Amino acid sequence: MLAVWRAGWRPPMAAWGCGRVSPLLPISRCLSVTAAAAQRSAASPLSPPPRSVASPASAVYVHPTSRDAATAPVLVGLLSALEGAHTHLGFFRPVGGLSKLASSPAAPVAAAAADADGSADPHVRLMAAVCPTVVALPDRAAAVGVSPREAMAGLAGGVKGPDADRLLDVIASRYEAYREASPEAALVVAEGGHLRSVAVADATAFHAAAARSMGAPMLLVADGRSGDVDEIVSMAAGAVRQVRGVSAEVLSVLVNRLPPDGAHGSGGGLADRLAARFAAAGIPYAGALPYDRTLGSLRMNEVAAWLGADVLGGATQLDDSAVDMEGVFVATLQLPALLATLATQPGVLLRRRHGAVLHALRAAVRAAPGGSLSLVDAAAVMRRADAALDDAAVASILRFLSSGGGGAASAAATTGNGLTVADMETELRPGALLITAADRLDVLAGALLSGLDVRGQGSVAGVLLTGPGDRQAVRDLLAAMGDPTATSATVAAIGEEDGAGSADEQGASDGRDGRRASLPSPILAVPPVLSVTADTFNTVRALTGVQTDILPSSSRKVERSRLLWEAHIDTPRLVESLTTPRERVLTPRMFQRSYFAAATSSGAHIVLPEGTEPRILRAAAEILRRGVLRSTPSGEGVAACVGGVTLLGVPNEVYAAAEAARVSLDGAVVMDPTDTSSPAFRRYADRLAELRAHKGVTVAQAVEAMRFDVNLFGTLMVEAGDASGMVSGAAHTTASTIRPALQLIKAATPGGVVSSVFLMLLPSGVLVYGDCAIVAEPTVAELADIAVTSAATAAAFGLDPRVALISYATGDSTSGPAVDKVRDAVAVARARAPKLPLLGPVQYDAAVDAGVAAKKIGPDDDPDGVGGRANVLVFPSLESGNSIYKAVQRSSGAVAVGPILQGLRIPGAVNDLSRGARVEDIVNTIAVTAVVAAAGRKAGGAEGAPAAVAGS
């Protein structure tokens, strides 16, 4: 069907060094079946499809192996690391993520801000804010494939259902649109994730399918917090199996939040043992990022975002102030009692002991075996350093030192049963969050003036004012202390009191400068002061759900993510893996999207002779419903260059059959092939008599033949140019379907072989099977011709053909007439196309399975490297080919597109259906026929605008 050309026209096949067999006409490359894609295709119709040549990865797909494997630090580190290799990067989320603020009191405000910003996805906003190399799009929503709600609806029926397939189509289409909108991005980082309603394994398989359609190898992120090497590797191996199960590529596995050596009794060399175990399992391993207290801490900017709080002061300290959630104080007492309580905070205790306790602990931890000091030993060291410390103070300081901001639970998860060297690092410690009513200025002033600042002391992280009331007095107090973040209204008030002058006296600009210059020098580092209108009770309750996060304002966490990546991940090796040429897999979904979109813009008109067959009617209705072919307004006749669908049959019978099948034929043309009085019928009869005159056929005989042979009528429509192509065979034999084409349209060259292929859309990829429908017992020359022509068909659909001629034996393992015929055909095909990768005779398993090929085929027997990688499989006879294609189709659920005829004079003239064809098979065949017919018309296979044919 695709290997078509005009009589006498045989262009050279330079790519394979072949001068005798013509190449296939290329089909158009289209990205989706959307209207936008159709318009793009129409603008540049029928250009060659993307070839599956080896090239560096254009995307990498980051996906967590569990729900709680944090990816934000990994993404920040990865994008920053890739800046050295690429000047422009992209960031895309196939399934959008939900903001952690969605369940917070600030949810409405956050949603409104996200809408104004153009994207509700938090990581799209984060990466655009903190990674300058990420291409900025005017519409950030373009960086998201589908929303979480769309994803959950599409996956409600499972990850392998038709809804899931449609979801993958939408993601692929939007990803291609994103790439078109950001062509300067040399590499796109895509992020997967998990949905609450979808099992982890299913989500991984779905994202693997999305990654495969994007041509992106997957970087899997495993959670290493348990410190259990067996558990970490086992969980990662399960994810790897899921990814490879859908034929996606695993780039590497990265372990995140790995505890320090010695934690949880893990012993030393945890990262090295992980590397050894991954290597033994045959899983590529990128390295491990350690648990980091900075990344695990809760900061005041996150508290402000969670509550939707106003920042009254201390804005410069928001990102520096870590909150100890076990140190939340509600100030309902009098000021003296509050100060006494604050004085017992561990940060204050350490400061007032002049660092003696901290110095002693650091020395003891460094001297301890494995760099880990048990809590009992640490307590003893503290008491020796300061005998005045009581048990409560010791316990408080130990928790304070080991806390990552999440209190005791976090400490336990981080350090197990002791203090480590990491706990002694000079990092900001979490401090208390003081909550009080907005009218308690005494509490605020006392806390500030007591000197309990946050600069390395970890005593007070911030103050949260609750309830209604005027905050002006608070702003005045903070401004009086020299807080540089005081609001303009407060600054103006202070400036006027200090006699700085008004705008009328000095000009607006000078007045502002004067007021700023008159501010007093800072008295102390003012901690963040937040304000909410909710009462204290509801505010405290809301805080119980606060979650740590990385926000665009989290400069300390962003920088920490970058530093951790640089210190622990081998970026050059990862970049090298991404730049290694790899063959992009043409998945079945990609393949189908391509030719459906091409059909949408083809302008082809397809005739379906079996107009009363229910499957044909359903397929025609589906083609029209999708807009793949043009709907013809009622009353219009056939016009081939306009496009559409014509059903042949007595109109009353066709419409009755459509009603029984419960389908609408709106937009289809119904034409009566028995109406001998119509102008079209008489014209076709004259043409048939002319073409068969050498056989003695008269006009009267032509009329009789046409009345009883719908396939003959449909073929004459194609030959006359009134239809682009014909699809039949659901209720007819192959012989009756293609015989008129062989008699009237004929082969492209005298004595040429007309053969066929099936495009087998398997879960693992697209294979080409030939010949499975036409040539019963091909000769050596015919078999060689089928091999080379089938390779050209594969190339027309974007595949790099690797041809295997199948037999019951591999190589020289045996001999016999059947094996010798295949062996001779390979020799003939090599002579015709010396550059075409060929292998044969070879058994099917050795042709498609690399493991079997390694055992059965030596390197000298397969110089082209076809073994285990063949994608064009040529069978020695019709009996074997037809049986195998049907067995594979029925047992694997593969979609078989075809048979596609090769070698006819008119491109896409006729395609034969199996009598067992499903509706989906028929829809696919109609679309492919339209595409190839349009390609042939563009190349000159059908010239001139045909006359319209009156409808019945």
Side-chain angles (χ1 to χ4, degrees):
M1 168 181 171
L2 291 180
V4 289
W5 48 86
R6 290 171 296 166
W9 180 64
R10 301 187 67 84
M13 298 181 71
W16 301 331
C18 175
R20 296 184 61 188
V21 180
S22 118
L24 299 177
L25 299 173
I27 65 171
S28 67
R29 178 192 178 215
C30 297
L31 303 175
S32 72
V33 296
T34 61
Q39 291 171 0
R40 290 194 297 269
S41 299
S44 180
L46 303 170
S47 58
R51 300 296 300 276
S52 55
V53 296
S55 59
S58 60
V60 57
Y61 204 108
V62 180
H63 178 71
T65 62
S66 60
R67 296 187 191 278
D68 52 358
T71 55
V74 175
L75 292 168
V76 172
L78 174 62
L79 283 165
S80 298
L82 292 174
E83 290 175 352
H86 303 284
T87 55
H88 293 94
L89 297 166
F91 182 75
F92 181 79
R93 292 210 73 177
V95 178
L98 291 172
S99 171
K100 292 183 178 181
L101 300 181
S103 58
S104 74
V109 176
D115 290 340
D117 193 44
S119 174
D121 186 273
H123 284 182
V124 170
R125 303 172 70 195
L126 174 63
M127 301 309 153
V130 304
C131 299
T133 56
V134 171
V135 176
L137 297 180
D139 180 13
R140 289 186 183 171
V144 177
V146 296
S147 68
R149 180 177 297 178
E150 290 174 308
M152 287 188 286
L155 298 177
V159 296
K160 294 184 179 179
D163 290 341
D165 288 342
R166 281 190 285 270
L167 198 65
L168 287 171
D169 286 342
V170 173
I171 290 173
S173 176
R174 291 180 181 172
Y175 172 69
E176 294 293 350
Y178 174 80
R179 292 308 307 254
E180 289 185 358
S182 53
E184 64 272 38
L187 182 73
V188 173
V189 175
E191 182 192 3
H194 292 278
L195 296 169
R196 295 175 185 173
S197 60
V198 180
V200 170
D202 287 344
T204 298
F206 177 80
H207 280 288
R212 185 165 171 260
S213 69
M214 293 164 56
M218 296 190 77
L219 177 63
L220 298 175
V221 181
D223 190 1
R225 285 180 297 173
S226 68
D228 187 323
V229 172
D230 292 337
E231 177 184 321
I232 295 170
V233 175
S234 176
M235 293 290 290
V240 169
R241 285 192 296 271
Q242 290 287 337
V243 172
R244 292 175 175 169
V246 297
S247 302
E249 179 188 353
V250 176
L251 177 70
S252 198
V253 172
L254 183 148
V255 178
N256 191 26
R257 298 191 289 190
L258 192 68
D261 290 339
H264 311 292
S266 60
L270 191 56
D272 293 337
R273 287 189 288 129
L274 272 175
R277 284 294 307 278
F278 276 117
I283 298 173
Y285 176 59
L289 296 172
Y291 178 87
D292 185 76
R293 289 171 301 157
T294 299
L295 297 178
S297 65
L298 178 68
R299 304 280 165 153
M300 284 297 294
N301 63 329
E302 297 158 31
V303 173
W306 180 265
L307 297 175
D310 294 328
V311 180
L312 302 183
T316 58
Q317 301 292 325
L318 279 170
D319 186 38
D320 284 338
S321 302
V323 179
D324 179 3
M325 287 306 295
E326 294 192 1
V328 176
F329 292 91
V330 178
T332 59
L333 302 175
Q334 295 299 315
L335 181 59
L338 174 64
L339 294 178
T341 301
L342 292 175
T344 64
Q345 291 298 291
V348 179
L349 292 174
L350 285 174
R351 183 182 65 196
R352 292 181 178 175
R353 300 304 193 242
H354 302 290
V357 173
L358 188 59
H359 177 76
L361 280 174
R362 282 175 176 160
V365 169
R366 291 193 180 99
S372 179
L373 184 67
S374 71
L375 296 181
V376 174
D377 292 339
V381 169
M382 293 170 63
R383 290 190 179 93
R384 287 196 298 271
D386 190 340
L389 290 175
D390 57 20
D391 291 343
V394 169
S396 179
I397 291 175
L398 286 176
R399 183 181 61 79
F400 171 70
L401 289 174
S402 62
S403 174
S410 176
T414 307
T415 60
N417 298 319
L419 294 178
T420 66
V421 174
D423 293 322
M424 298 293 102
E425 292 178 355
T426 56
E427 177 63 44
L428 288 178
R429 307 290 179 181
L433 174 60
L434 183 63
I435 303 176
T436 189
D439 58 1
R440 292 292 301 273
L441 287 180
D442 59 327
V443 172
L444 175 61
L448 296 176
L449 296 174
S450 65
L452 302 178
D453 60 79
V454 296
R455 292 187 179 275
Q457 310 303 331
S459 49
V460 171
V463 179
L464 176 58
L465 304 179
T466 64
D470 185 11
R471 300 319 198 246
Q472 188 58 48
V474 176
R475 294 189 179 95
D476 293 344
L477 175 61
L478 296 174
M481 292 183 174
D483 177 21
T485 61
T487 64
S488 58
T490 303
V491 173
I494 295 176
E496 291 173 2
E497 291 173 2
D498 290 343
S502 65
D504 293 336
E505 296 172 346
Q506 302 181 26
S509 177
D510 293 341
R512 283 195 300 271
D513 292 342
R515 287 192 289 274
R516 290 191 182 277
S518 67
L519 288 173
S521 300
I523 298 174
L524 51 83
V526 176
V529 178
L530 310 180
S531 172
V532 295
T533 57
D535 59 35
T536 300
F537 175 79
N538 286 310
T539 300
V540 173
R541 186 172 64 175
L543 280 173
T544 59
V546 67
Q547 303 176 56
T548 61
D549 202 356
I550 299 182
L551 304 176
S553 61
S554 302
S555 58
R556 183 178 288 274
K557 288 187 176 183
V558 168
E559 184 59 27
R560 192 65 177 166
S561 299
R562 291 169 174 159
L563 293 175
L564 286 173
W565 184 282
E566 292 175 4
H568 297 279
I569 304 300
D570 187 353
T571 298
R573 187 177 67 176
L574 193 66
V575 171
E576 182 181 1
S577 298
L578 288 170
T579 55
T580 299
R582 49 178 44 82
E583 183 174 309
R584 183 175 180 182
V585 177
L586 183 64
T587 68
R589 304 304 301 179
M590 294 164 59
F591 183 78
Q592 286 181 299
R593 286 196 307 272
S594 176
Y595 66 69
F596 270 108
T600 302
S601 61
S602 67
H605 194 112
I606 304 301
V607 58
L608 306 174
E610 300 160 320
T612 58
E613 164 60 44
R615 289 170 295 163
I616 293 290
L617 292 170
R618 292 190 181 100
E622 181 67 10
I623 282 286
L624 294 170
R625 185 190 67 81
R626 294 190 195 180
V628 177
L629 296 180
R630 173 184 176 269
S631 293
T632 303
S634 177
E636 283 194 13
V638 176
C641 290
V642 175
V645 174
T646 290
L647 291 160
L648 298 184
V650 177
N652 291 340
E653 296 176 2
V654 173
Y655 287 117
E659 185 176 353
R662 296 185 177 182
V663 297
S664 170
L665 295 183
D666 289 346
V669 174
V670 177
M671 190 172 185
D672 189 350
T674 65
D675 182 5
T676 59
S677 63
S678 72
F681 192 104
R682 291 194 297 270
R683 183 158 51 89
Y684 297 153
D686 291 342
R687 179 60 173 163
L688 176 58
E690 177 186 348
L691 292 172
R692 301 293 289 169
H694 65 286
K695 293 292 185 177
V697 176
T698 65
V699 173
Q701 290 173 327
V703 169
E704 286 301 305
M706 289 169 54
R707 285 180 58 204
F708 298 101
D709 190 343
V710 290
N711 288 319
L712 176 60
F713 191 97
T715 302
L716 284 164
M717 288 184 66
V718 175
E719 200 280 336
D722 293 332
S724 308
M726 180 184 91
V727 175
S728 185
H732 292 83
T733 65
T734 296
S736 63
T737 299
I738 70 171
R739 185 185 296 113
L742 297 177
Q743 293 175 342
L744 305 178
I745 297 175
K746 301 183 181 296
T749 57
V753 178
V754 176
S755 61
S756 71
V757 294
F758 277 90
L759 302 175
M760 303 299 291
L761 311 188
L762 296 157
S764 57
V766 179
L767 298 180
V768 178
Y769 284 3
D771 178 3
C772 303
I774 304 297
V775 186
E777 289 290 343
T779 64
V780 168
E782 289 173 338
L783 193 58
D785 187 85
I786 292 170
V788 177
T789 306
S790 299
T793 299
F797 280 94
L799 298 173
D800 269 346
R802 296 182 293 272
V803 184
L805 278 76
I806 303 301
S807 181
Y808 64 82
T810 296
D812 297 326
S813 62
T814 189
S815 62
V819 178
D820 293 342
K821 182 178 79 169
V822 174
R823 187 178 292 114
D824 294 342
V826 171
V828 173
R830 286 192 191 280
R832 292 184 179 181
K835 295 182 180 180
L836 175 64
L838 281 165
L839 176 64
V842 61
Q843 292 163 293
Y844 190 101
D845 57 352
V848 300
D849 188 305
V852 176
K855 298 176 182 178
K856 292 188 175 183
I857 306 172
D860 295 337
D861 299 325
D862 186 17
D864 297 326
V866 175
R869 302 172 59 243
N871 54 10
V872 179
L873 297 107
V874 177
F875 300 101
S877 67
L878 180 59
E879 180 180 19
S880 60
N882 190 269
S883 299
I884 289 177
Y885 109 76
K886 288 186 176 180
V888 171
Q889 178 191 31
R890 296 298 177 179
S891 61
S892 69
V895 176
V897 181
I900 300 171
L901 269 61
Q902 308 174 134
L904 286 171
R905 175 173 55 87
I906 297 178
V910 176
N911 269 323
D912 177 41
L913 296 168
S914 167
R915 277 171 287 175
R918 299 167 296 189
V919 173
E920 182 181 10
D921 302 328
I922 299 170
V923 168
N924 279 290
T925 303
I926 293 172
V928 169
T929 303
V931 170
V932 179
R937 186 170 65 245
K938 176 179 171 61
E943 300 175 353
V949 181
S952 57

